Amino acid sequence: MSHVPHELHEEFPDQVDRLQGLKQSNPHFANLAEEYHSINRAIHRAETDIEPTDDLHMAQMRKTRMTLKDQISAILRSVA
């Protein structure tokens, strides 16, 4: 467990401007980014025992975060 938040601007440091632009201009991307942020915060709270959860739920949340990150990455690549 890393206990380190995986914020989008940290995951894609070379694309911060593009992230912001897409959040403003693309409603689908904005929704994905918001979902990512929400699940990422939930994972961080669980990892730091602010809101503990069981291993199965943690694994499911991490899979969801990875799926969202993959979708966000695909959009970022498509507008490059």
Side-chain angles (χ1 to χ4, degrees), residues 20-58:
Q20 290 302 320
L22 284 168
K23 284 181 192 177
Q24 294 173 359
S25 67
N26 183 323
H28 176 65
F29 186 87
N31 286 335
L32 289 174
E34 182 57 35
E35 284 182 58
Y36 180 92
H37 179 73
S38 295
I39 195 74
N40 189 48
R41 287 280 136 216
I43 291 168
H44 185 65
R45 286 190 306 270
E47 288 178 339
T48 55
D49 288 330
I50 293 171
E51 293 179 17
T53 190
D54 60 62
D55 291 342
L56 178 61
H57 186 238
M58 180 65 83

